[in-house]
Every structure is written in structure tokens, then in C-alpha cells.
Amino acid sequence: MGCPIFAIASWRRPGAFFVVIDKLTNAEIRRLKAEAQKLKATFKIGKQGLTPQFVQGLNTAFEHHELIKVKFDEFKAEKKELAPQMAAQTSSHLVWLIGNVAVLYRPKPMTPAGPGDV
């Protein structure tokens, strides 16, 4: 997978960083969709909507998983607007929006090799 990730400092907000992710290829999207079909929705958007706590929970989940399924229990009419917002706020890709489920992908950052790693 050729998805290099790098951080860029924001000139509008000192100290703020965001991640730039290369566009996914069609083959990568097909593979991710196939993987997503096996997953259950790990997050549900309920009455509170897309809160900062919800986004923080997604970011925490992305530390352990690259692919996350989010189900819209509420705000079903706004899912086409909320799904891209979720992807933007978590620096992830919106892989798929089907029915009331969105699939988000963010590759795990590569960890630098330590002195004992070969």
C-alpha cells in the first residue's frame, strides 16, 4: 500500500497539525470495501450527533484499527453531509457510505525503528 503520511503545521492555528493522506487507488478501495463487509459497526451516531467526544473516540479507535464502521442511528437524513465531516475531522478517508453505515479508513502511522530493531 503506497499511502505515505506526513504531518503539516497549520499556519492559521499555531501548534495545530493535520495529516495529509494520499488519495486511495481503486484497488485499495475495493480491498477496503471487502474487509469492511466482515466488520460490525463499532460506533453509532445517536441523538448527540457528531460531538467532539465522538470524534475523539474515533481518533482513539484509529490508534488500534485502520478500518472503522459507523452506523447512523439518528441523523439519517444528514448522513451525506456528516460522513465527509467525520472523515475530515479524523483525517481519514470515507471509503464507503451505504445505507445508514459509513466506512472510514486511516492507515496506521509508521513507527520509527528503534535502536534494537532490525
Side-chain angles (χ1 to χ4, degrees):
M1 291 197 359
C3 288
I5 299 175
F6 51 93
I8 297 177
S10 173
W11 58 273
R12 291 185 181 166
R13 290 179 29 210
F17 288 88
F18 56 93
V19 176
V20 176
I21 303 173
D22 286 344
K23 186 176 178 185
L24 296 174
T25 65
N26 288 339
E28 289 172 325
I29 292 171
R30 282 193 309 271
R31 180 185 61 80
L32 292 170
K33 284 181 178 182
E35 285 182 35
Q37 287 181 345
K38 301 172 192 171
L39 297 176
K40 292 197 183 270
T42 52
F43 286 88
K44 293 185 181 184
I45 295 184
K47 294 178 186 176
Q48 298 291 321
L50 196 58
T51 63
Q53 293 83 9
F54 184 83
V55 173
Q56 182 181 5
L58 285 173
N59 282 323
T60 301
F62 275 126
E63 292 174 9
H64 304 284
H65 305 282
E66 290 185 325
L67 200 60
I68 295 175
K69 247 181 174 176
V70 180
K71 183 173 175 131
F72 289 88
D73 279 349
E74 302 286 332
F75 298 97
K76 293 177 183 177
E78 293 90 6
K79 66 185 170 205
K80 289 184 180 177
E81 294 85 26
L82 289 176
Q85 288 177 15
M86 264 192 305
Q89 290 179 16
T90 58
S91 300
S92 63
H93 288 283
L94 176 60
V95 175
W96 205 8
L97 181 60
I98 185 164
N100 294 320
V101 175
V103 177
L104 300 172
Y105 169 73
R106 183 169 77 187
K108 288 185 181 178
M110 290 188 214
T111 56
D117 295 339
V118 177

